[in-house]
Amino acid sequence: MTTTDYVPIAQRLDFDALVPGFARAVNDLDEAATAEADRAGIDPALRELLRLRASQLNGCSYCVDMHSRAARKKGTAAQRVDAIAIWRDSNLFTADERAALEFTEQVTLVASSRVPEDCVQAVVKAYGEEGAAALLSLVVAINTWNTIGVTARCWPVAVRTRD
């Protein structure tokens, strides 16, 4: 298959050029969430898996591509990256990772989930209050990026023959 076989997806808005101040602010939000995750000791590879899962739920092709590659670069086995969409049915994730994945899904789907109490308590038990707050920051940031990416289609996925 050649790159000419791929269907081009048209950009809707050049978000970064149209609202550069806001784009920088979102980047700052993401950097702050990453810093809080670092401070709370949240594993960088897990962070990428959580970003990937939220991006899958939101349907952001750019972020799915970016965070699946980033997870592998952080040392996550390809098998775990591939299984993230079906994590509930996979034996490749620890109990703490499952709590973080459930939390990520519930926060991402907040309009319908209302983020149940038991979900919050499970992530607090696994990561402590500081870790839970850092994870919430991380999920809020990726959902912000996903909202922009899905709506504006401003960042096309680069076609690669290998990573």
Side-chain angles (χ1 to χ4, degrees), residues 29-30 32-37 42-43 46-48 50-51 54 104 132-145:
L29 174 73
D30 189 65
T34 299
E36 293 300 335
I42 306 297
D43 178 57
L46 175 62
R47 294 191 309 240
E48 294 305 326
L50 301 178
R51 288 172 168 142
T104 297
L135 288 171
L136 177 58
S137 300
L138 194 73
V139 177
V140 167
I142 192 57
N143 280 302
T144 301
W145 284 122

Side-chain angles (χ1 to χ4, degrees), residues 63-117:
C63 292
V64 165
D65 178 65
M66 178 195 317
H67 296 296
S68 61
R69 286 185 296 108
R72 288 189 297 276
K73 286 180 183 173
K74 297 278 186 200
T76 304
Q79 185 180 21
R80 283 173 38 95
V81 173
D82 294 344
I84 202 70
I86 47 88
W87 65 268
R88 282 184 183 84
D89 298 317
S90 172
N91 65 345
L92 300 175
F93 302 96
T94 68
D96 288 354
E97 289 170 333
R98 289 172 176 282
L101 285 160
E102 181 66 28
F103 184 73
T104 297
E105 288 192 6
Q106 295 299 324
V107 172
T108 298
L109 304 172
V110 66
S112 60
S113 79
R114 310 300 300 154
V115 190
E117 180 67 24

